[in-house]
Amino acid sequence: MIQPAPINPLQPNERFMRLALAQARYAYEQGEVPVGAVIVYEGRVIGEGYNQREMLNDPTAHAEMIAITQAAQVLESWRLLDCTLYVTLEPCPMCAGALVQARLPNIVYGTTDPKGGACHTLYQITNDPRLNHRCTVIGGLLQEECAFLLQEFFAEQRAKGKK
């Protein structure tokens, strides 16, 4: 039997970003800002999440935070070593800080966040040499699809007089 080639954690994998997009679409259906995330360890998803701030009335219920919690439970460790996060939107300062604290080495995101991005756009928390850990960050995987979903959601919200 031929074994599949191992996934290189530094090489963006479209399949996992599509799983994150599916999470984002679920958030959209729930009336949440459509951001989705998956965390991969040894080629399998061990954590997934979508924004649930409105549903849970919790400002920390971002997709990344939910995926981090699930992944830590699966690994039975707060250290997410050898993992890769795939997320549809560049992480915010809170999530970027949590990713550094979790020692997660690899982040792949879809589209930048010009108002809150903390990996490349506004801040570089994940690569700040003053912190005890740094992440390899790759942006732009399926960027157009990730951006379109957010644009569509916010256009719909503005049309309804919300957000």
Side-chain angles (χ1 to χ4, degrees):
M1 180 174 175
I2 298 174
Q3 295 293 321
I7 293 171
N8 178 348
L10 301 179
Q11 182 178 7
N13 187 310
E14 186 176 311
R15 178 171 67 99
F16 293 123
M17 185 60 81
R18 291 209 179 280
L19 293 174
L21 268 165
Q23 290 289 313
R25 286 186 192 96
Y26 188 73
Y28 191 120
E29 293 168 6
Q30 305 300 311
E32 299 277 354
V33 175
V35 177
V38 298
I39 295 178
V40 176
Y41 176 74
E42 294 183 346
R44 66 185 179 100
V45 174
I46 61 167
E48 60 186 12
Y50 59 91
N51 275 0
Q52 297 180 47
R53 292 188 314 170
E54 301 293 334
M55 187 181 336
L56 299 176
N57 291 313
D58 181 352
T60 68
H62 287 203
E64 300 97 320
M65 301 297 278
I66 293 165
I68 288 169
T69 299
Q70 287 182 10
Q73 289 172 348
V74 168
L75 294 178
E76 297 180 342
S77 174
W78 60 268
R79 291 176 183 89
L80 301 183
L81 305 174
D82 302 317
C83 292
T84 300
L85 167 74
Y86 291 85
V87 61
T88 57
L89 180 66
E90 179 183 4
C92 72
M94 175 184 67
C95 294
L99 293 163
V100 169
Q101 290 299 314
R103 312 294 195 270
L104 192 136
N106 307 300
I107 301 167
V108 179
Y109 68 84
T111 192
T112 58
D113 184 351
K115 294 183 178 182
C119 294
H120 289 138
T121 307
L122 294 180
Y123 308 101
Q124 292 78 43
I125 291 172
T126 53
N127 289 303
D128 191 321
R130 297 169 295 179
L131 299 175
N132 63 333
H133 174 77
R134 280 160 288 295
C135 310
T136 299
V137 181
I138 299 169
L141 183 62
L142 301 180
Q143 188 275 330
E144 290 179 9
E145 290 179 55
C146 294
F148 178 78
L149 191 60
L150 286 158
Q151 291 164 352
E152 186 177 76
F153 175 80
F154 285 113
E156 186 177 292
Q157 294 301 303
R158 284 189 297 275
K160 293 178 180 177
K162 298 179 181 179
K163 301 186 188 200

